Amino acid sequence: AQSVTQPDIHITVSEGASLELRCNYSYGATPYLFWYVQSPGQGLQLLLKYFSGDTLVQGIKGFEAEFKRSQSSFNLRKPSVHWSDAAEYFCAVGRGGSNYKLTFGKGTLLTVNP
Amino acid sequence: KAGVTQTPRYLIKTRGQQVTLSCSPISGHRSVSWYQQTPGQGLQFLFEYFSETQRNKGNFPGRFSGRQFSNSRSEMNVSTLELGDSALYLCASSTGLRLGGETQYFGPGTRLLVL
């Protein structure tokens, strides 16, 4: 069965600092990987996705993620965090090509200090 | 294109009642998936509908059901509500064509509180 682990429940960074959110997955085949962000009381917004090809993918809001098959990881990064990035971040793996069923990690809550 | 819309946004019900939630997918999308989000269990897949048929189901009791209409709009029903059903219910839409590399787009959710 596929699974996703986000080791950090809560991360606090200062505005302007760099950010890396960790994600490890377990999946038997080539994974389809996603990062979503959720602001309080809101739905999930897609930040970026990896399906194949270049292992470094760029997303919206200045985020990027790197797929490392050898480490079963798909970490999310941002070089300089803005206060508006404070939210909860979810890593997810899709089942097969259709990705009709996403398996999510438990999420990482990001707090940004001024 | 308009995004995924869900109604109502908030609901308060009492134990034993039933509730119906609605989801309108992005225009042209034929697949709608439903998820339950709770602080304890996180995001869990409920079921997926495609072309008015339930195509896949998660591990939830039969009190949770759904349907999809010919215009791809979907409804989710929970009967005999329990306190533990309090959650944010999210729906997501995609083309559903299973050509590989599908992306699910989420709505804002319906917050259900069971008292």
Short mmCIF file of all heavy atoms in Angstrom, two decimals, chain A residues 84-107:
data_model
loop_
_atom_site.label_atom_id
_atom_site.label_comp_id
_atom_site.label_asym_id
_atom_site.label_seq_id
_atom_site.Cartn_x
_atom_site.Cartn_y
_atom_site.Cartn_z
N SER A 84 3.05 35.51 3.94
CA SER A 84 1.83 34.93 3.38
C SER A 84 1.97 33.43 3.10
O SER A 84 0.99 32.78 2.73
CB SER A 84 1.46 35.66 2.08
OG SER A 84 2.51 35.53 1.13
N ASP A 85 3.17 32.89 3.25
CA ASP A 85 3.35 31.44 3.05
C ASP A 85 2.91 30.63 4.26
O ASP A 85 2.87 29.39 4.19
CB ASP A 85 4.83 31.13 2.75
CG ASP A 85 5.28 31.70 1.42
OD1 ASP A 85 4.48 31.72 0.47
OD2 ASP A 85 6.45 32.15 1.33
N ALA A 86 2.60 31.29 5.36
CA ALA A 86 2.14 30.57 6.54
C ALA A 86 0.86 29.82 6.22
O ALA A 86 -0.14 30.40 5.79
CB ALA A 86 1.91 31.55 7.68
N ALA A 87 0.90 28.51 6.39
CA ALA A 87 -0.22 27.64 5.99
C ALA A 87 0.17 26.21 6.35
O ALA A 87 1.24 25.97 6.92
CB ALA A 87 -0.50 27.75 4.50
N GLU A 88 -0.68 25.28 5.98
CA GLU A 88 -0.33 23.87 6.15
C GLU A 88 -0.05 23.27 4.77
O GLU A 88 -0.78 23.53 3.81
CB GLU A 88 -1.46 23.10 6.83
CG GLU A 88 -1.05 21.71 7.28
CD GLU A 88 -1.86 21.16 8.43
OE1 GLU A 88 -3.00 21.65 8.65
OE2 GLU A 88 -1.37 20.23 9.11
N TYR A 89 0.99 22.48 4.72
CA TYR A 89 1.46 21.93 3.46
C TYR A 89 1.32 20.41 3.47
O TYR A 89 1.72 19.75 4.44
CB TYR A 89 2.92 22.33 3.22
CG TYR A 89 3.06 23.81 2.96
CD1 TYR A 89 3.04 24.73 4.00
CD2 TYR A 89 3.18 24.30 1.66
CE1 TYR A 89 3.14 26.09 3.77
CE2 TYR A 89 3.28 25.66 1.41
CZ TYR A 89 3.25 26.54 2.47
OH TYR A 89 3.34 27.89 2.23
N PHE A 90 0.76 19.89 2.40
CA PHE A 90 0.52 18.46 2.29
C PHE A 90 1.23 17.89 1.07
O PHE A 90 1.10 18.41 -0.04
CB PHE A 90 -0.98 18.17 2.17
CG PHE A 90 -1.76 18.50 3.40
CD1 PHE A 90 -2.34 19.75 3.55
CD2 PHE A 90 -1.93 17.56 4.40
CE1 PHE A 90 -3.07 20.06 4.69
CE2 PHE A 90 -2.65 17.85 5.55
CZ PHE A 90 -3.22 19.11 5.69
N CYS A 91 1.93 16.81 1.32
CA CYS A 91 2.53 16.03 0.24
C CYS A 91 1.58 14.87 -0.06
O CYS A 91 0.95 14.33 0.86
CB CYS A 91 3.89 15.51 0.70
SG CYS A 91 4.79 14.53 -0.50
N ALA A 92 1.45 14.50 -1.32
CA ALA A 92 0.53 13.43 -1.68
C ALA A 92 1.10 12.58 -2.81
O ALA A 92 1.86 13.09 -3.65
CB ALA A 92 -0.83 13.99 -2.09
N VAL A 93 0.72 11.33 -2.83
CA VAL A 93 1.10 10.44 -3.92
C VAL A 93 -0.17 9.92 -4.57
O VAL A 93 -1.15 9.60 -3.89
CB VAL A 93 2.00 9.29 -3.42
CG1 VAL A 93 1.29 8.43 -2.37
CG2 VAL A 93 2.46 8.40 -4.57
N GLY A 94 -0.16 9.87 -5.88
CA GLY A 94 -1.33 9.43 -6.63
C GLY A 94 -1.21 7.97 -7.02
O GLY A 94 -0.11 7.44 -7.21
N ARG A 95 -2.34 7.35 -7.15
CA ARG A 95 -2.41 5.92 -7.49
C ARG A 95 -2.50 5.78 -9.00
O ARG A 95 -3.47 6.21 -9.61
CB ARG A 95 -3.64 5.29 -6.84
CG ARG A 95 -3.76 3.80 -7.05
CD ARG A 95 -5.09 3.32 -6.47
NE ARG A 95 -5.25 1.89 -6.58
CZ ARG A 95 -4.96 1.03 -5.62
NH1 ARG A 95 -4.52 1.48 -4.47
NH2 ARG A 95 -5.13 -0.25 -5.77
N GLY A 96 -1.47 5.20 -9.58
CA GLY A 96 -1.49 4.94 -11.00
C GLY A 96 -1.55 6.22 -11.81
O GLY A 96 -1.22 7.29 -11.34
N GLY A 97 -2.03 6.12 -13.00
CA GLY A 97 -2.04 7.28 -13.87
C GLY A 97 -3.20 8.21 -13.62
O GLY A 97 -3.11 9.40 -13.90
N SER A 98 -4.26 7.68 -13.10
CA SER A 98 -5.45 8.52 -12.97
C SER A 98 -5.39 9.41 -11.76
O SER A 98 -6.03 10.45 -11.72
CB SER A 98 -6.70 7.65 -12.89
OG SER A 98 -6.73 6.96 -11.66
N ASN A 99 -4.64 8.97 -10.75
CA ASN A 99 -4.54 9.76 -9.52
C ASN A 99 -5.91 10.10 -8.94
O ASN A 99 -6.09 11.14 -8.33
CB ASN A 99 -3.75 11.05 -9.77
CG ASN A 99 -2.33 10.75 -10.15
OD1 ASN A 99 -1.72 9.80 -9.66
ND2 ASN A 99 -1.78 11.52 -11.07
N TYR A 100 -6.86 9.20 -9.13
CA TYR A 100 -8.18 9.46 -8.60
C TYR A 100 -8.17 9.41 -7.08
O TYR A 100 -9.01 9.98 -6.42
CB TYR A 100 -9.19 8.43 -9.12
CG TYR A 100 -8.90 7.03 -8.63
CD1 TYR A 100 -9.38 6.57 -7.41
CD2 TYR A 100 -8.11 6.18 -9.38
CE1 TYR A 100 -9.09 5.31 -6.96
CE2 TYR A 100 -7.82 4.90 -8.93
CZ TYR A 100 -8.32 4.47 -7.72
OH TYR A 100 -8.03 3.22 -7.27
N LYS A 101 -7.22 8.66 -6.54
CA LYS A 101 -7.13 8.54 -5.10
C LYS A 101 -5.75 9.02 -4.67
O LYS A 101 -4.74 8.40 -5.00
CB LYS A 101 -7.31 7.09 -4.65
CG LYS A 101 -7.11 6.90 -3.15
CD LYS A 101 -7.17 5.43 -2.77
CE LYS A 101 -6.85 5.25 -1.30
NZ LYS A 101 -6.84 3.82 -0.91
N LEU A 102 -5.74 10.12 -3.98
CA LEU A 102 -4.49 10.65 -3.47
C LEU A 102 -4.31 10.17 -2.04
O LEU A 102 -5.25 10.21 -1.24
CB LEU A 102 -4.49 12.17 -3.51
CG LEU A 102 -4.50 12.82 -4.89
CD1 LEU A 102 -4.63 14.33 -4.78
CD2 LEU A 102 -3.24 12.46 -5.67
N THR A 103 -3.11 9.72 -1.72
CA THR A 103 -2.76 9.41 -0.35
C THR A 103 -1.92 10.57 0.17
O THR A 103 -0.88 10.90 -0.43
CB THR A 103 -1.98 8.10 -0.26
OG1 THR A 103 -2.81 7.04 -0.74
CG2 THR A 103 -1.57 7.81 1.17
N PHE A 104 -2.37 11.15 1.24
CA PHE A 104 -1.74 12.35 1.77
C PHE A 104 -0.89 12.04 3.00
O PHE A 104 -1.18 11.12 3.77
CB PHE A 104 -2.79 13.37 2.19
CG PHE A 104 -3.50 14.05 1.05
CD1 PHE A 104 -4.63 13.49 0.49
CD2 PHE A 104 -3.02 15.25 0.55
CE1 PHE A 104 -5.29 14.11 -0.56
CE2 PHE A 104 -3.67 15.89 -0.49
CZ PHE A 104 -4.81 15.32 -1.05
N GLY A 105 0.14 12.87 3.18
CA GLY A 105 0.84 12.89 4.45
C GLY A 105 -0.02 13.63 5.47
O GLY A 105 -1.06 14.20 5.13
N LYS A 106 0.45 13.65 6.72
CA LYS A 106 -0.31 14.29 7.78
C LYS A 106 -0.20 15.82 7.76
O LYS A 106 -0.90 16.51 8.50
CB LYS A 106 0.18 13.78 9.14
CG LYS A 106 -0.13 12.31 9.37
CD LYS A 106 -1.61 12.03 9.47
CE LYS A 106 -1.87 10.60 9.89
NZ LYS A 106 -3.32 10.30 9.93
N GLY A 107 0.69 16.31 6.93
CA GLY A 107 0.80 17.76 6.80
C GLY A 107 1.89 18.36 7.66
O GLY A 107 2.25 17.81 8.71
#
